Amino acid sequence: MEKKTLRRIKRHDRIAAFGIRGTGVLVIAGVILILLLIGREALPLFSSPTATLEQRVALPDGLTADAVLAVGVDEYLQQAYVVDRQGRFIFFRLADQQVVSRLSAQSGVDDDVLTQVEPVSQYRYALHWRSGRISLQRVRFVQHYNEQGQRVSSVFLDQEASFAPVDALPNRTVVARSDQGSTRVSLLPGQTLDIEQQVTEEDFLGNETTQSYRSVLEQVHPDALTVLKLDHGGRTLYAATRSGGLLRWDLSEPGVPRLLDKVQAFDDHRAITALTLLIGDQSLAVGDETGLISVWFPVPTEEGPGSKRLGLIHALSVHDAPVEQLVPSSRNRTVLSLDDNGVAHLDYSTSERHLLTLVEKEPFTLAALSVRGDALLGLQRDGAVGLWRIDCPHPEAGFKALFGKIWYESYQEPQWVWQSSAASDEFEAKLSLVPLIFGTLKGTFYAMIFAIPLALLGAVYTSQFGSVRLREVVKPAVEIMAAVPSVIIGFLAALWFAPLLERSFPGFVLTLVLVPLLFVLLLLVWSSLRQRPWARYVERGHEFLVLAPLLVLALAMALQLGPWLENGLFGGDFKLWLFQQAGVRYDARNSIVIAFALGFAVIPIIFTMAEDALSNVPGSLKAASLALGASRWQTVWRVVLPSASPGIFAAIMIGLGRAVGETMIVLMATGNTPIMDWSMFNGMRPLSANIAVEIPEAPHGDTLYRVLFLSAVLLFVMTFVLNTVAEIVRQRLRRKYGRF
Amino acid sequence: MKTFISRGEPQVWLTAAALTTTLLMGLTLIVVVMINGLGAFWPSRLVELELQGGQKVLGELLRREPLPDHSGMRQQFKVGNRDLYGMDFRWVDEKQVIGRQWPQQAITVERSEYGHFFGFLKQVVVPQPEQVFDAGDSPWQQLASARKAVAALQDKLDEVMSQINSVNYALEKEQDRLLRFDYQGVSGEDPQRLAVKAEIESLKAEFAQLVRQQRQQQGQLTGYYAQFEDVNGRTKRIELDGIVRCYPSNELSLVGRCGIYASKLWELLSGEPRESNTEGGLFPAIFGTVLLVFVMSLFSFPLGVIAAVYLREYAGDGLMVRLVRIAVNNLAGIPSIVYGIFGLGFFVYGIGSGIDQLFFPERLPTPTFGTGGLLWASLTLALLTVPVVIVTTEEALGAIPGGIREGSLALGSTRFQTLTRILLPMASPGIMTGLILSMARAAGEVAPLMITGVVKLAPALPLDGQFPFFHLERKFMHLGFHIYDIGFQSPNVEAARPMVFVTTLLLVLIVLLMSGVAIRLRNRMKKKYTFGTF
Amino acid sequence: MKNTIDPLSDPAIEVEHLNFYYGSSQALFDLNLKFARRQVTALIGPSGCGKSTFLRCLNRMNDLVDVARMEGSIRLDGTEINSNALDVIELRRRVGMVFQKSNPFPKSIYENVIYGLRIAGIKDKAVLDETVERSLKGAALWDEVKDRLHESALGMSGGQMQRLCIARAIAVNPEVILMDEPCSALDPKSTARVEDLIKELRDQYTIIIVTHNMQQAARVSDYTAFFFEGLLIEFGKTGELFVKPRNKQTEDYITGRFG
């Protein structure tokens, strides 16, 4: 051979080998590795939150920590502000400590000073003046862009309401204001509550009239009240006592306060030291002198409809010292708590997840959360203000929230619930994966009990009893069945089969009786006919031809007799009967539809693989058994099936894997209701359908988005395990029989 | 009888029954799809019912079923005239029917809006009747000639529309350039920028001119209309440009019916969808499906074959390779929705957003590649089908006896020569099988597409005459998703039924044809090389 | 015999101290022998004695096995085979091989024969045609197939296929042809034809044939080597070895006491 040619072809060989190896490894590694990347998207759900100190500056204007009554920070974490005793709101830049503006709140009384500032909600404060006046102030940041395109923010301080002092000097006063009016509740000596409500009403001409109501509740509790809390609308009043009592009044009817609850929260009579309402005004966070943070909300009781009683729902983290301050997040159900030692804890109420603990050398005296919940502004005893950035993108997630029973607001007990979105902002996403996993298992279960017998028996017949020509026709036919797109199966199941089933359910029930009946009849007739010569032909693998008309006949008869049965047994309406007799609601898209549809998708897979396994059993084995005088069924039952059993097992595993991951069929035919009920008349929502339903609504990087990735990981793991088991079994078989 | 049972014959019959049930189920599916799909376009006759109380109903009989209380039968009619009656369908209790006839003059009008109209033609109005009609024409003939005139006008209008589209596209491009200048901080006096601005102005002027022209032509069209009357005598004016097709349903001969059927079929294959996808054609969906499968094959086929060649011919047979083989076999069984969500996270939000930030930063936050599109959907499907291609190719290569390889190598050929001259040609039927199977799977797959770029109505095809012709970032339509969408998301499910079945039939035919070919190919190959292991 | 030149004095292949391993197990032990030019040497021995392995060392087919390792020296006309510097491709063109099971490619007869030329990049039709005719004639197949050169090779009978494989091997003009039990899968008639062919080819090629058929070895070979458990037990002229084996094991094997 010419040297040149040789060099050329060898060069080609080297390049090709390099290219093929490179591409091959890359493709395989790529395909395998990138699937693992799905896991990475879901991982942040479980990451533990961290807080990092970003800035720490001294208080402006030489203020000391004692002189500051409240702190806060803007949405972009650029400006912080403090409120001093003179009622001044001092805004300063965190970066360079430069004071941006000073806005003063006034009580209208000369030389008045503040005694207390109570944060009402984000950027809203109730200012308690020494003169007894109370004013509601709101801080407003307005963002705009200057000519250079930079963001500039201006601040405003609005007075939203002002309350005149009460006659007696109150121990404590809480106020609230809403569009409908304002509420003031003052605690007077002797555990007496003085409630004043101003209701603004607009008549049909647009004239506003304000009506004032006043009521006094005397001696509401034998022990001293320690904390009062009004919700944002001023409709519910909470109070706590030194001995661990919790009280709740309904103030929604002006002038007629109604005591709803008077419970002894803790048996050890510990003093309750702090109260706050979490977003949504339903959950009451309670801090006590032992340092425990607990969450309470009204739970329906058995006493009657509408009756609710405060109950201890969640016990969050425990401080080493009495709880001093509770700050709710304005985004979610996170609560920040500060104790006497100046240690801050961050907890997520619903899932009882302790997010983080912040212990600094200089204890905190005041703390606030940013609007987005991504930072904590803390005032420390040495007079420094620090901004801690909180990295906790998914506080509502975590193992317990996703897999444990969670007691959600307005639920009677802890439950597994999936409800990812609702119209209101205060809605809390309920992201338990358990109902979805249940849905997957339920759908798979029903599909498999339908598919396995049909597929396996059919495979046994095709491989062992059917004629060769039958096998040549049936195998491709079943493979073609496997190729039917699942969207088509789902569509037919939901829009053709489900209505049919709903209309003639009794008919289908009747089929279950008629088919075996006719089958037995046929066998009886056949056992006497089988000596005829033409019967030999049928028994040489053409039994199914005789059966086809029989089955069609049985089905047709059943459907014809169905209405008659419905009239006779079920009083003319099966669905009504079912509901009245069994209390079961009949959903049009139910588990029976799923069993048929998903079963239809799975049967060809199990059938094909089981058939392969059965026909690969060496003929010599069969021959040996038949030669010993065993009948064809005995041979199959005692010889063929045992040796093919690993292959059949693998077939079922693969079928299971397909059923678990099938999406379009379950999406279309299950009704997608995330309920946990094994009833075959109800639908379900499997993991796969859930992904398809929810992902268009899930913003990139959001908790829901990551939870959906997590469910994809779950699906991946489930199918991977099933397939691997099957694959290992198959490889073993392959080595045993040489081919498979 | 006794031996019959003791020999286990009943059990054998039971297995036969299982097989029969399975096959019957498959058959039922095909038959249901066929009957509903093939019958959907057949122009059925219009029946006129006279009800007790004098009311009349004109429509197509759809089905007959027992009343809910089993006291008799009821019939469902498609009565059309949604704009008059508010609904297209109506149940009629048979007990109420006192008269039934098939009026010769009844006409079915398919409109581009409000669905079908069933009724009678009264009068045809055109701006210059003497130029359009011959004397003595019947109203029906008048309608035909008027529609011809309208079609000519409409062709002109379509031309203007396409001009408007291309001007619009050019305008968008120029505005993108302007955005890019903004982003790059090019000053307002830059000559290039001024040129672009001038171009935009001239395009805008052209656009305005075209819109005027369009409006004027539309104005001409409104002069052509026809007066119809429904069965109860209510008159309805229908603009001729709103008529897609009309025919006297009860007068049609068999040939005429076939003609209507063929014309509907042609519209299905070549036309655009109308009435929120429940009427009209499937062309964009067919085109999207084909293009999707094509682009997917471009990725999955070479990569899958190379990976399989690597696994079988170049990698050794160690534990690692065995594990990889298990993993690859395994990947073929991973649910498609998992691939879909992966495509969303990795391709769309990962690579797509990266591309946007690198190449199209001026358009942000409007995403270009950072949103679902044909490319990402194809890549996702490629990922999904690569294991199928790898497995089948590997099996085909593995089925070639080792002696063939040795024979070639012993003659002094390199491994690459052995591969290209002997092995790949021998394995090609197997590889083709894998390819066709994966294409069939891709054509029928919906779940991963739903989250990576398929839409119910795409404004433009991913392939058109505008530079750069291939718009891989565009969203697209797909037959499978079409079924899901019109079957489940459509406001008028009953009216959408025929269309869903037709789409289903089309998809079933495509997929079954492809897999049928693949299965045949494989079985023939199995016979050819008896050493095959499939 | 003394007066003629000993063919072994100018051997085509010289093997010295050859050891061969499959992973950790040794398959061949310190082999030393020479193959006479333009003579037929038969390798005999019971199954698993290493004769096929040895044969595959001669054109380095064992390279295809990952765990195989070869030590020692094999020289083809003085060129060291067991060396990284050697070009395996070129070696295999000089040392052709015919396998136990005939392995024609699923191509036409014509394409099968010229496969070796095609991969060497030869496109000249005249050369190709000439080679096909020469090789097929050389393999005594020409008359049987000359009318269906472009039909598939897979339609031939077993014996024809094996002769086609021989034709394919001689088409590239090798110096040595290795035959690994070429007749084991053939009927007696085809075997006889292939044996005749081997005798004819002796004039042009050095032939090394592995066989477990002692009669065949005696019929076709000039020299015979007896292998047992990876060792070369005895080597000599075929006539001498079969008539008067020097070694007890050889004698036992030849007389059929084991094997």
Side-chain angles (χ1 to χ4, degrees), chain A residues 421-488:
Chain A
S421 56
S424 99
D425 287 346
E426 287 161 2
F427 168 79
E428 183 179 19
K430 302 171 181 65
L431 300 174
S432 176
L433 289 176
V434 176
L436 309 177
I437 296 172
F438 175 88
T440 296
L441 294 181
K442 181 182 173 188
T444 310
F445 170 75
Y446 277 103
M448 293 314 266
I449 56 170
F450 177 70
I452 290 178
L454 277 183
L456 290 190
L457 293 179
V460 166
Y461 183 79
T462 313
S463 66
Q464 305 299 324
F465 308 128
S467 60
V468 180
R469 260 190 50 220
L470 169 78
R471 193 164 172 256
E472 275 173 7
V473 176
V474 167
K475 274 211 82 174
V478 173
E479 278 169 347
I480 293 257
M481 255 172 88
V484 174
S486 56
V487 67
I488 289 173

Side-chain angles (χ1 to χ4, degrees), chain C:
Chain C
M1 290 270 189
K2 288 272 180 203
N3 51 353
T4 56
I5 308 155
D6 182 5
L8 290 176
S9 63
D10 175 29
I13 298 178
E14 228 174 326
V15 180
E16 280 172 12
H17 304 294
L18 184 73
N19 286 295
F20 186 83
Y21 307 85
Y22 280 118
S24 54
S25 67
Q26 191 164 1
L28 299 175
F29 298 86
D30 194 41
L31 302 185
N32 293 287
L33 79 164
K34 295 170 180 172
F35 293 102
R37 199 177 295 278
R38 303 224 166 88
Q39 299 281 314
V40 178
T41 308
L43 308 180
I44 61 169
S47 316
C49 66
K51 51 191 194 301
S52 280
T53 304
F54 174 63
L55 192 74
R56 287 162 157 265
C57 287
L58 299 178
N59 69 345
R60 299 243 321 244
M61 281 305 270
N62 286 322
D63 284 13
L64 301 179
V65 182
D66 283 341
V67 292
R69 191 157 50 85
M70 183 159 68
E71 284 168 9
S73 155
I74 304 174
R75 281 191 301 276
L76 173 65
D77 278 340
T79 323
E80 178 56 51
I81 289 177
N82 187 17
S83 141
N84 284 337
L86 177 103
D87 184 5
V88 182
I89 305 295
E90 210 166 3
L91 168 72
R92 291 185 188 148
R93 297 186 76 84
R94 290 172 62 187
V95 184
M97 187 164 185
V98 177
F99 296 84
Q100 181 173 4
K101 193 169 179 292
S102 63
N103 53 0
F105 304 131
K107 296 167 178 271
S108 69
I109 295 169
Y110 186 90
E111 284 295 326
N112 259 289
V113 175
I114 59 161
Y115 181 75
L117 303 180
R118 280 243 191 263
I119 58 175
I122 295 168
K123 295 195 181 81
D124 187 346
K125 184 90 168 71
V127 175
L128 297 178
D129 285 346
E130 191 270 326
T131 309
V132 169
E133 187 170 346
R134 175 180 58 80
S135 313
L136 286 175
K137 277 182 176 157
L141 198 59
W142 176 253
D143 294 331
E144 292 166 54
V145 301
K146 64 172 185 252
D147 300 325
R148 48 184 183 113
L149 286 178
H150 295 283
E151 282 173 33
S152 169
L154 298 181
M156 303 166 85
S157 74
Q160 285 175 327
M161 281 199 211
Q162 194 61 297
R163 277 181 284 143
L164 177 68
C165 291
I166 294 173
R168 195 170 68 182
I170 61 182
V172 289
N173 273 326
E175 295 157 32
V176 182
I177 300 177
L178 310 176
M179 296 188 174
D180 189 357
E181 303 191 21
C183 304
S184 66
L186 300 182
D187 58 281
K189 206 172 149 199
S190 305
T191 303
R193 300 208 60 165
V194 172
E195 282 179 10
D196 291 343
L197 178 60
I198 292 172
K199 285 179 201 154
E200 284 168 30
L201 291 173
R202 167 163 44 185
D203 301 338
Q204 286 172 353
Y205 309 98
T206 305
I207 295 175
I208 306 170
I209 177 169
V210 166
T211 177
H212 56 237
N213 180 338
M214 249 102 42
Q215 286 76 22
Q216 189 175 53
R219 278 196 299 270
V220 302
S221 69
D222 304 299
Y223 290 88
T224 300
F226 173 60
F227 282 71
F228 186 67
E229 291 184 345
L231 290 161
L232 174 64
I233 304 295
E234 192 170 343
F235 175 74
K237 287 234 159 80
T238 302
E240 293 168 17
L241 189 130
F242 273 91
V243 177
K244 226 171 38 188
R246 287 188 297 259
N247 190 295
K248 180 76 170 58
Q249 279 169 321
T250 317
E251 190 181 345
D252 286 351
Y253 181 70
I254 294 169
T255 51
R257 284 196 207 136
F258 74 94

Side-chain angles (χ1 to χ4, degrees), chain B residues 30-44:
Chain B
I30 303 286
V31 168
V32 168
V33 171
M34 284 281 186
I35 290 178
N36 287 287
L38 289 176
F41 284 164
W42 190 250
S44 38

Side-chain angles (χ1 to χ4, degrees), chain A residues 34-254:
Chain A
I34 48 191
L35 278 168
L36 299 180
L37 288 180
I38 305 176
R40 220 192 57 180
E41 290 281 329
L43 222 53
L45 290 176
F46 301 102
S47 64
S48 22
T50 54
T52 39
L53 180 63
E54 200 150 89
Q55 251 123 20
R56 191 164 182 273
V57 294
L59 280 170
D61 293 0
L63 289 169
T64 60
D66 293 343
V68 172
L69 295 175
V71 293
V73 65
D74 79 329
E75 189 182 351
Y76 301 98
L77 312 181
Q78 306 283 319
Q79 292 184 27
Y81 57 91
V82 295
V83 185
D84 72 0
R85 290 196 178 275
Q86 276 67 49
R88 286 188 306 167
F89 285 68
I90 303 162
F91 296 85
F92 59 101
R93 279 212 289 268
L94 277 165
D96 53 8
Q97 214 189 334
Q98 199 187 336
V99 174
V100 181
S101 59
R102 296 183 182 81
L103 302 170
S104 287
Q106 249 100 42
S107 69
V109 177
D110 290 343
D111 298 331
D112 216 351
V113 289
L114 287 172
T115 55
Q116 194 201 346
V117 174
E118 189 191 357
V120 178
S121 61
Q122 195 80 38
Y123 298 145
R124 276 198 174 81
Y125 299 90
L127 272 52
H128 297 248
W129 300 90
R130 197 163 53 196
S131 60
R133 285 188 168 271
I134 295 173
S135 58
L136 261 179
Q137 300 283 350
R138 178 181 173 209
V139 174
R140 203 149 48 85
F141 290 92
V142 177
Q143 311 289 340
H144 52 92
Y145 291 83
N146 64 10
E147 290 100 46
Q148 279 81 50
Q150 290 157 325
R151 195 178 56 225
V152 187
S153 82
S154 351
V155 275
F156 299 90
L157 185 65
D158 308 333
Q159 184 168 60
E160 291 194 317
S162 170
F163 298 86
V166 280
D167 310 336
L169 204 60
N171 289 348
R172 198 169 276 278
T173 301
V174 285
V175 294
R177 187 190 152 73
S178 68
D179 295 345
Q180 283 84 42
S182 55
T183 308
R184 176 188 57 76
V185 179
S186 299
L187 173 65
L188 304 176
Q191 282 80 264
T192 299
L193 292 174
D194 174 22
I195 303 168
E196 184 189 336
Q197 286 169 287
Q198 310 244 336
V199 182
T200 309
E201 271 168 0
E202 197 175 322
D203 61 19
F204 61 94
L205 291 173
N207 301 323
E208 285 190 355
T209 50
T210 303
Q211 198 113 32
S212 191
Y213 300 88
R214 188 131 189 206
S215 42
V216 174
L217 300 167
E218 289 188 1
Q219 184 74 38
V220 294
H221 198 274
D223 293 318
L225 298 187
T226 46
V227 212
L228 293 178
K229 184 75 195 169
L230 264 176
D231 70 3
H232 291 104
R235 290 161 174 275
T236 315
L237 171 69
Y238 297 88
T241 72
R242 206 176 52 193
S243 58
L246 269 179
L247 298 105
R248 182 167 67 107
W249 287 271
D250 177 17
L251 304 184
S252 53
E253 199 173 329

Side-chain angles (χ1 to χ4, degrees), chain B residues 162-177:
Chain B
S162 81
Q163 279 174 359
I164 287 181
N165 280 340
S166 59
V167 169
N168 202 10
Y169 187 79
L171 201 58
E172 263 171 40
K173 284 268 146 188
E174 293 300 327
Q175 261 151 358
D176 272 353
R177 284 181 67 186

Side-chain angles (χ1 to χ4, degrees), chain A residues 9-10 12-13 16-17 19-21 23-25 27-28 31-32 34-35 37-38 41 450 453-454 457-458 460-462 465 470 474 476-481 483-492 494-496 503 519 522-524 526-527 530 538-539 543-544 546-548 551-552 563 566-567 572 589 596 600 603 607 612 631-634 661 663-664 667-668 688 691-692 695-696 698 700 705 708-709 712 715-716 719-720 723-724 727-728 730-731 735 739-740, chain B residues 1 3-4 6-26 28-30 32-33 36 63 65 68 70 303-304 306-307 309-311 314-315 322 324-339 341-342 344-347 349 353 383 386-387 390 395 412 414-417 419 444-447 450-451 480-481 483-484 487-488 493 497 500-501 504 507-508 511-512 515-516 519 522-523 526-527 530 532-534:
Chain A
I9 62 171
K10 287 185 67 176
H12 286 178
D13 188 47
I20 289 172
R21 271 173 204 281
T23 320
V25 170
V27 168
I28 290 160
V31 167
I32 293 170
I34 48 191
L35 278 168
L37 288 180
I38 305 176
E41 290 281 329
F450 177 70
L454 277 183
L457 293 179
V460 166
Y461 183 79
T462 313
F465 308 128
L470 169 78
V474 167
V478 173
E479 278 169 347
I480 293 257
M481 255 172 88
V484 174
S486 56
V487 67
I488 289 173
I489 301 176
F491 150 69
L492 285 178
L495 293 188
W496 178 76
R503 256 201 322 273
F519 184 70
L522 177 87
L523 288 188
L524 285 175
W526 187 258
S527 63
R530 63 195 292 261
V538 171
E539 285 203 358
E543 289 92 343
F544 80 106
V546 179
L547 282 166
L551 288 178
V552 174
E566 191 165 12
N567 279 332
R589 294 176 187 172
F596 271 88
F600 188 96
I603 284 175
F607 180 95
D612 280 345
S631 73
R632 55 179 182 164
W633 172 254
Q634 286 162 336
T663 307
M664 288 319 285
L667 175 65
M668 294 159 105
S688 53
I691 296 176
I695 197 85
H700 181 211
Y705 176 84
L708 293 177
F709 267 79
L715 275 180
F716 178 74
T719 43
F720 197 85
N723 291 345
T724 307
E727 193 55 37
I728 289 170
R730 250 156 48 111
Q731 292 226 337
R735 245 169 282 154
R739 47 167 282 178
F740 192 69
Chain B
M1 183 69 208
T3 54
F4 184 71
S6 67
R7 283 193 182 165
E9 285 300 305
Q11 285 94 318
V12 175
W13 281 83
L14 190 67
T15 59
L19 177 68
T20 315
T21 314
T22 307
L23 293 179
L24 280 179
M25 273 170 63
T28 311
L29 181 130
I30 303 286
V32 168
V33 171
N36 287 287
R63 75 185 83 162
E65 63 175 47
H70 302 290
L303 293 183
I306 291 177
V309 165
Y310 166 71
L311 269 184
Y314 284 81
R322 279 225 299 284
V324 164
R325 201 162 281 154
I326 289 182
V328 168
N329 273 340
N330 226 323
L331 287 176
I334 297 299
S336 55
I337 188 81
V338 174
Y339 282 100
I341 201 163
F342 170 77
L344 180 76
F346 184 74
F347 293 132
Y349 290 139
S353 301
L383 209 58
V386 152
I390 293 182
E395 283 181 344
T414 62
R415 262 210 288 207
F416 183 57
Q417 284 175 323
L419 183 72
E445 199 61 75
V446 176
M450 279 165 67
I451 44 188
F481 183 72
I483 295 172
Y484 172 69
F488 288 81
V493 175
R497 250 178 104 89
V500 200
F501 273 107
T504 304
L507 187 61
V508 163
V511 171
L512 294 196
S515 9
I519 291 166
R522 193 194 55 196
N523 288 352
K526 220 195 258 180
K527 275 184 194 152
T530 41
T533 66
F534 286 95

